[in-house]
Amino acid sequence: MLENDGTPTGGEARRDAVAFPADVAGSEWPDEREWFEELEWFDADGDPVAAGRDGLDAVADVSTLMSVFAAQRFERVEGLRREAVAEAAVFRGKTTEIVMRSLRLELATVLQVTEHIAERMLATADGLVNRYPAMLDALSHARTTERHADVFVELVDTVEPELRDQVVPLAVDLATSHALGSFRRLLRKLVDTVRAATLSERHAEAVRERRVVVQPAEDGMSWVMLYTSAVKAHAIQHRATAIAHALGAQEGEERSLDELRADVMVDLLVDGDVPAHPDAARGIRATVAVTVPVLSLLDDEHANTAPAVVEGVGPIPIEQARELCGGADGWMRVLTHPETGMVLSVGRDQYRTPAALRRLVEWRAATCMAPGCGTPARRCQIDHQLAWEHGGTTELTNLGPLCVGHHTIKHHGGWCVRQIPDSGGALEWKSPGGRRFVVRPERKVPVFRPAPDDDRSPEDTAPF
């Protein structure tokens, strides 16, 4: 989750609502140049740097205009679609499908894009104008971007019509406050949560479609595609990656991680047991974090609104969660409690993060804690926000996962990163240009407190 003092949010240019003239929000444009020059932040001829604003502000201004123009284009595209549908109804012999394909072809040709892109544009325009006017309004006032609008329509359209009223206001808020990658991930989580009541039935139907497909490629290569449950797919990926890392650590190994991972999967599927693998790579099993609200384990009705979630996957059927929580090896089971605030620490005793503490840091964040990054936390390095050599401690309040690229930028790119006290793990990033961004973790850390004895005050009861 990303914040930035209410201004550019999630790495996307955002401004407070701009009071656009009524005819600009409608179908008729005034003189664009005259209107834009009325805005204090836009100077068609001026130099933003000379005016005391840096080049990034100028880029943000252009992005703002692009959002406004995108909203106008969607309105006009929807107008074309309505005219095409009306024409199909008036003239006999022309089906709606033929008329729409003709429109798609002409639109793609005029805009010099593929017909697939034109079809997606028509679908997004239909959704924004006819079903989600609140999102169209956010786009027309430059509070979000065209790509956010595309993702919004694509995902919200999957929600049953009777459930959309629960999703749309929250989804618009997410679109105006998060970078595209984070927005997509959080919106998918929201949609999955709202649809959790029917998840078991939908999963049971989908799992019957599992299969393996081989797709020929060039240069004597092929793709092997496995369609299976998301939990098993992520477990396969995790085990292959773990074995690949172990092989990559061997002296003289020159293959890339992707090459190693592919070779590992081939070896395991073709040969089964692989004696050629070194001891460090043998016996590795998949590890996946499963987060289950404790009441959902006990009550199906509660599971409909608070589903079990697998890291990197999303909600899963409660029956599958109960099976995983029954004691299967290789699964990190986290039973959540509504309170928060626990601190785990090894202080200055050691730099290396203990395995249990590392798992908790990864679970709390879910992804890299850099602005807008969606790299899974399990593939990240654990960063000491206050560096060890500067007196930093190895404790939950000083640790966060960062991917290799953002870890490097944090230490060598001129950024200042600190964990905000009493925030539950939120990081504040200050850029070399002085802009501040706040990234919040995906989850809160649970705290469990025993009922205090009659002769002890609650303050004397330590969390454990």
Side-chain angles (χ1 to χ4, degrees), residues 76-106:
R76 283 156 174 73
V77 168
E78 172 56 16
L80 289 173
R81 190 194 69 83
R82 290 179 180 178
E83 291 176 4
V85 172
E87 178 184 340
V90 171
F91 295 100
R92 295 180 180 180
K94 282 192 175 182
T95 66
T96 301
E97 181 182 358
I98 293 175
V99 170
M100 290 303 299
R101 290 190 65 179
S102 176
L103 173 61
R104 185 181 69 192
L105 174 60
E106 187 172 12

Side-chain angles (χ1 to χ4, degrees), residues 247 255 258-268 277:
L247 293 174
R255 288 173 292 177
D258 280 336
E259 291 176 292
L260 286 166
R261 193 157 37 205
D263 291 345
V264 164
M265 296 183 75
V266 170
D267 291 343
L268 291 175
H277 283 181

Side-chain angles (χ1 to χ4, degrees), residues 3-21:
E3 301 169 1
N4 179 27
D5 301 330
T7 48
T9 305
E12 302 288 349
R14 173 191 173 192
R15 295 191 176 276
D16 294 332
V18 179
F20 295 107

